[in-house]
Amino acid sequence: MSVLEVGALWRKVGQAEILRGIDLTVEAGEAIGIIGPSGSGKSSLLRCIAGLDPIASGRVLVEGKPATPGDGAIGMVFQHFGLWPHLTARENVALALKLVRKLPRREADAKADAALARVGLAAQAGRKPAGLSGGQQQRVAIARTLAMEPRVLLFDEPTAALDPELTTEVLDVIRDLARAGTTMLVVSHEMGFIAGLSTRVMFLDHGQVVQVAPPKDMFGPGAEPRVKGFLKTYLDRVAWAQG
Amino acid sequence: MAVFYESLSAAARGLPVTLAIWLSAVAAGMALGFLVGAARFFAPRLLSAPLVAVVEVVRGTPFLVQCFLLYFGGPFIGIDLSPPVAGFVALSVYGAAYFSEVFRAGFMAVPPAQLEAARLLGLSRTQTVLRIMLPVMALGVLPALANLAVILIKETAVLSIITVPEFTFRMQAVGSASFAVVETTLVLALGYWALVEATAWAARRVEKRIERALAA
Ligand SMILES: Nc1ncnc2c1ncn2[C@@H]1O[C@H](COP(=O)(O)OP(=O)(O)OP(=O)(O)O)[C@@H](O)[C@H]1O
Ligand SMILES: [Mg+2]
C-alpha cells in the first residue's frame, strides 16, 4: 500500500480555484520535490495534505486511511520554523511527547534528546530559540516533528527564511533523512538540492500538475516546455547573479 | 492636627476596602476578559456577535452610569446587591470589557506557524491556549494589562457615589465634616498616586521575570 495517496484534490477559496484536481501517489521512502512558480499552489498542496487548509473535494489517504491534523500521520516543517519561544529546544521537542503521547517526563526528554542529536543539536538542547541561529532553529523544528514519528514529512520552503550559509546545514539534515528512508514532500526553490534529493519531482502551475518525473528528466531534455521555460528563467537568474 | 489624625484613620479604614475591591475586580475582570477574548478569537462569528455587542456597550458608556444602573436599577430586576458587592461586580464587568480586547489582540499576535505546529503535533485547543498562547503572548500583553489595572484603581473612586466605604468616600466624609476639603483631597491624590506607582513597579518586576523566561 502507498504511504500517501492524493486523489482529485481540489481547493477553492470563494471563486478562486487554488488547486485543480491534484493526483499523487507516494511510496514508502520516496522524496517528492515540488517546484513551480510563485502562486502555483505548492504551499496550498502541502497544507491541504496536512489538513491545515480545507479541501473542496478529493481525498488524502495516509496508509489507506483519511488523515486528520494531530493524528500523528503527517508532520510539517514551516518556512518560519514555528518554534515556541518560551521553551528550550528540548522542551519544544518533548512537549507533544508528554501531552499527546503521554510519555513520562524522563522518557520524553530522552526521546527529545535523541531527536536533537539526529539533527546535530545535542549540545544546544537547553537553549531557547532566541539563543539559536536560524538554521539551528529550523533543525529543532525538524527534530520536533521527527520525534512524533510521522508517516510522511512535509517541508514548505524550509530554507527560504535563512541566510545562504545557514541553508546548507538544514538541507544536509533533510538529505540525511531522505537517505535514511523518510517519506517526504519538499517544496523548495533550491533546484540543485531538489535534483539531488528527489526520487520524483512534481511541477505545479496554476494549481495543476504539469509534470511528474524523475529529476534527470525534469531537469534534462525530458522536461515539458512549460517546465523548461520556468527552469530557464531560473538558470538565467543564477547566471545573471554570477555575472 | 485633629484633621490630620482623622484623615489617617479614614485612610486606614478606606484604603483596605479600595484595595480589596480593586484587586478582586482586577482578578475577576482579567479572568472574565480572558474567557471573552478567547471566545471572540476562537468562536465562529455568529456565536461571538452577542459578546461583541456587550463589550461595545460596556466600553461605550461611563462607568458611573453603569454603577448607577446596577446599584439603583438592579433591585427592579431582582439584583439587590450591597454597595461593596455592587462595586466589585460593576468594576469587574467594566474591566473585563477592556481586558477582553487586550487578550484578543494578544491571541491574534501569536505567529500562525506556532499554532499550526501545535495542531499538527496533536495538542488540544486547551493545551495550545494554556501551554503556548498564554506564555507566548504574556510579554506582549503585560504593559496593556498593567495600564488597565492602573485605570481601574482610579475608577474605584467612582464607587463612593454608590456609598461604598472606600478611600474616596471616607476622605470626603472627613473633608465635609471638618471643612478641610483641600487637605483631604491632597491626601486622596497622594494615596492613589502611591497605589499607581506600586502597581507600575510590580508590573515592571513581572515583565523582567517574563523577559528572563524568554531569554536564551
Ligand atoms: N486563504 C487563501 N485565500 C485566498 N487565496 C489564497 C489563499 N491561500 C492561497 N491563496 C492563493 O492561492 C494561490 C496559491 O498560493 P500558494 O501559497 O499555495 O502558492 P505557492 O506556490 O506556495 O507560492 P510561493 O512560491 O510564493 O510560496 C495564490 O494565488 C494565492 O494567492
Ligand atoms: Mg508557498
Side-chain angles (χ1 to χ4, degrees), chain A residues 150-164:
Chain A
R151 316 307 302 153
V152 184
L153 253 179
L154 311 177
F155 293 91
D156 190 6
E157 302 202 33
T159 61
L162 299 177
D163 293 340

Side-chain angles (χ1 to χ4, degrees), chain A residues 21-242:
Chain A
I22 306 286
D23 294 294
L24 175 70
T25 304
V26 183
E27 304 302 329
E30 271 203 286
I32 306 292
I34 301 175
I35 60 173
S38 189
S40 57
K42 306 180 296 293
S43 299
S44 298
L45 177 57
L46 292 194
R47 295 177 57 82
C48 285
I49 292 173
L52 292 174
D53 283 349
I55 63 178
S57 60
R59 61 184 183 281
V60 176
L61 303 177
V62 177
E63 293 179 338
K65 294 187 291 282
T68 50
D71 64 6
I74 291 171
M76 185 157 172
V77 173
F78 303 89
Q79 183 176 342
H80 291 107
F81 325 143
L83 291 184
W84 303 311
H86 57 299
L87 303 178
T88 63
R90 178 186 294 118
E91 289 164 342
N92 262 279
V93 180
L95 188 67
L97 295 171
K98 288 176 201 160
L99 296 183
V100 181
R101 288 287 149 79
K102 313 275 186 221
L103 292 187
R105 190 193 174 83
R106 293 205 15 215
E107 232 175 283
D109 285 347
K111 236 182 150 185
D113 284 345
L116 286 168
R118 193 152 176 216
V119 299
L121 289 175
Q124 283 78 17
R127 292 221 207 133
K128 300 240 171 72
L132 299 169
S133 73
Q136 291 172 330
Q137 290 185 51
Q138 189 60 298
R139 286 189 280 153
V140 174
I142 294 173
R144 180 174 68 179
T145 310
L146 276 182
M148 296 296 279
E149 297 166 1
R151 316 307 302 153
V152 184
L153 253 179
L154 311 177
F155 293 91
D156 190 6
E157 302 202 33
T159 61
L162 299 177
D163 293 340
E165 65 263 37
L166 300 178
T167 298
T168 322
E169 66 188 53
V170 173
L171 296 185
D172 285 345
V173 166
I174 299 174
R175 196 179 291 124
D176 286 348
L177 291 174
R179 288 208 181 114
T182 310
T183 311
M184 59 173 77
L185 271 59
V186 185
V187 171
S188 177
H189 288 292
E190 305 279 341
M191 294 302 160
F193 169 70
I194 290 292
L197 174 90
S198 312
T199 51
R200 286 183 294 154
V201 183
M202 171 189 255
F203 187 94
L204 278 184
D205 197 15
H206 295 296
Q208 280 180 314
V209 178
V210 174
Q211 187 176 9
V212 181
K216 66 172 178 8
D217 294 331
M218 188 66 88
F219 296 104
E224 299 276 336
R226 175 71 189 94
V227 179
K228 275 190 181 138
F230 172 79
L231 289 174
K232 183 173 182 317
T233 340
Y234 176 79
L235 290 175
D236 284 350
R237 250 200 339 270
V238 172
W240 174 83
Q242 288 171 341

Side-chain angles (χ1 to χ4, degrees), chain B residues 182-194:
Chain B
V182 174
E183 291 87 335
T184 50
T185 308
L186 270 176
V187 173
L188 263 180
L190 273 174
Y192 284 114
W193 177 73

Side-chain angles (χ1 to χ4, degrees), chain B residues 44-92:
Chain B
R45 187 155 295 171
L46 210 66
L47 285 178
S48 61
L51 287 176
V52 178
V54 173
V55 168
E56 286 310 311
V57 167
V58 173
R59 298 202 316 153
T61 51
F63 180 55
L64 178 65
V65 174
Q66 295 167 20
C67 287
F68 273 153
L69 272 178
L70 179 63
Y71 184 60
F72 296 112
F76 289 104
I77 53 164
I79 306 174
D80 201 349
L81 303 173
S82 70
V85 175
F88 159 73
V89 171
L91 196 63
S92 304

Side-chain angles (χ1 to χ4, degrees), chain B residues 163-209:
Chain B
T163 71
V164 178
E166 46 69 73
F167 190 32
T168 300
F169 183 84
R170 297 280 189 190
M171 296 310 290
Q172 276 177 339
V174 175
S176 48
S178 63
F179 303 107
V181 176
V182 174
E183 291 87 335
T184 50
T185 308
L186 270 176
V187 173
L188 263 180
L190 273 174
Y192 284 114
W193 177 73
L195 280 181
V196 167
E197 284 302 311
T199 309
W201 175 82
R204 277 196 300 275
R205 298 229 12 192
V206 175
E207 204 170 331
K208 286 245 168 60
R209 283 195 64 158

Side-chain angles (χ1 to χ4, degrees), chain B residues 12-36:
Chain B
R13 280 181 296 159
L15 270 174
V17 176
T18 292
L19 271 175
I21 292 184
W22 171 61
L23 286 174
S24 55
V26 164
M30 247 189 233
L32 187 60
F34 178 77
L35 292 177
V36 172

